[in-house]
Amino acid sequence: MQTISFYNLAYMLLPLAIVVYFYFKYTQDKKEIVYATVRMVLQLLLIGYLLIFIFNTKNIFLGLFILTFMLVIATMIVLRVTTNKSLKNYSLIFFASFISSFIHLFLILEVVLDLESFYEPRYAIPLVGMVFANIMNIISLSIERFEKEISRNESFEEARKISFKACMIPQINTLLAVGLVALPGMMTGQILSGVDPLIAVRYQILIMIMSISSGGLAVIIYYNFLEKFKLYSKK
């Protein structure tokens, strides 16, 4: 696989600098993209070294700690978009995400991949990250739209219908476009690393189904929690 030097990688900052300039020009915010980029680089460098350690130790308790930490952070990020930042709402988001991710990871690791050990960090950690990130994005879109509809005096059922449809648009668009408009990240990465394209396709199908179903199921569970506990109000 072709290696990338940090010197060559720095050239990618040139188009980003243009975006930063116009982002500041249009929004008067000169820190957000720069902060997000610097944080992304530092986080990925840190996780790169951490993954080497995790893959070598294969300690299940360390793995559980890391997975729990990832879910806690993902839930905190989701909470940014909601007006209800209570501990109860945080708990609903957390457990909706946990239930959906556990179901999907069990199916993937135990049934689909049929690994010798359920906890194989080389598979579990990246897949969990994909599931959590996907759930985080879909629930965020759903909550943001749901609260807007509730504030317009829509009924719970109508707000749920509109927000659920809205949050699934990016996922459905991705399913329609994959293979025709773009080759997805995992498939591209595997092909670049020398994996047979037909094997890469199977993994990508797994990821695409997981993406739409894990996020969708998490939202469904969250809506049921929300309705049960009446944790929504019209303004």
Side-chain angles (χ1 to χ4, degrees):
M1 185 176 180
Q2 183 68 31
T3 58
I4 303 174
S5 69
F6 281 106
Y7 178 81
N8 289 347
L9 189 60
Y11 282 109
M12 293 305 300
L13 296 176
L14 296 176
L16 179 61
I18 298 173
V19 175
V20 170
Y21 170 77
F22 282 98
Y23 189 79
F24 169 65
K25 183 177 180 180
Y26 294 162
T27 68
Q28 304 303 309
D29 188 333
K30 61 182 179 181
K31 295 181 179 179
E32 190 169 32
I33 295 181
V34 174
Y35 168 75
T37 303
V38 172
R39 177 170 163 173
M40 174 272 295
V41 171
L42 294 177
Q43 288 173 174
L44 288 179
L45 287 174
L46 177 62
I47 197 63
Y49 287 108
L50 183 60
L51 285 176
I52 293 174
F53 174 74
I54 294 171
F55 291 168
N56 289 333
T57 58
K58 295 186 179 182
N59 186 309
I60 190 170
F61 296 106
L62 176 62
L64 289 173
F65 172 79
I66 292 171
L67 299 184
T68 303
F69 176 79
M70 291 166 65
L71 182 55
V72 167
I73 296 299
T75 308
M76 290 174 62
I77 294 173
V78 173
L79 209 64
R80 291 172 60 247
V81 305
T82 177
T83 57
N84 183 357
K85 303 185 187 302
S86 67
L87 179 60
K88 192 170 186 178
N89 195 34
Y90 177 93
S91 300
L92 299 188
I93 298 170
F94 181 91
F95 284 109
S97 302
F98 171 78
I99 294 169
S100 178
S101 59
F102 179 82
I103 291 171
H104 284 83
L105 287 171
F106 178 82
L107 284 173
I108 293 169
L109 299 176
E110 191 70 18
V111 181
V112 179
L113 296 180
D114 193 22
L115 302 175
E116 292 184 6
S117 171
F118 179 76
Y119 178 67
E120 177 57 54
R122 189 170 296 275
Y123 290 92
I125 300 296
L127 288 171
V128 168
M130 291 182 188
V131 171
F132 286 169
N134 185 71
I135 289 174
M136 176 185 71
N137 289 332
I138 292 183
I139 287 190
S140 295
L141 290 172
S142 176
I143 290 175
E144 193 271 342
R145 186 60 182 269
F146 177 83
E147 290 184 346
K148 282 187 177 178
E149 297 304 323
I150 287 293
S151 69
R152 294 169 183 162
N153 290 319
E154 294 286 0
S155 66
F156 174 86
E157 290 76 15
E158 186 66 18
R160 179 180 59 188
K161 181 185 78 173
I162 295 171
S163 60
F164 191 43
K165 186 175 180 64
C167 76
M168 297 299 284
I169 288 175
Q171 302 300 317
I172 295 173
N173 285 350
T174 301
L175 293 185
L176 295 173
V178 65
L180 297 177
V181 178
L183 295 180
M186 170 175 268
M187 182 177 170
T188 300
Q190 287 187 314
I191 291 173
L192 289 175
S193 63
V195 173
D196 185 326
L198 292 179
I199 299 297
V201 164
R202 296 178 200 174
Y203 271 90
Q204 193 58 56
I205 291 172
L206 167 67
I207 296 304
M208 301 305 293
I209 294 175
M210 177 188 74
S211 296
I212 191 168
S213 62
S214 63
L217 182 58
V219 170
I220 292 168
I221 295 170
Y222 177 73
Y223 283 143
N224 279 274
F225 283 160
L226 208 60
E227 186 175 26
K228 179 178 180 180
F229 294 104
K230 303 296 181 183
L231 207 62
Y232 62 93
S233 60
K234 296 183 179 181
K235 297 181 179 179

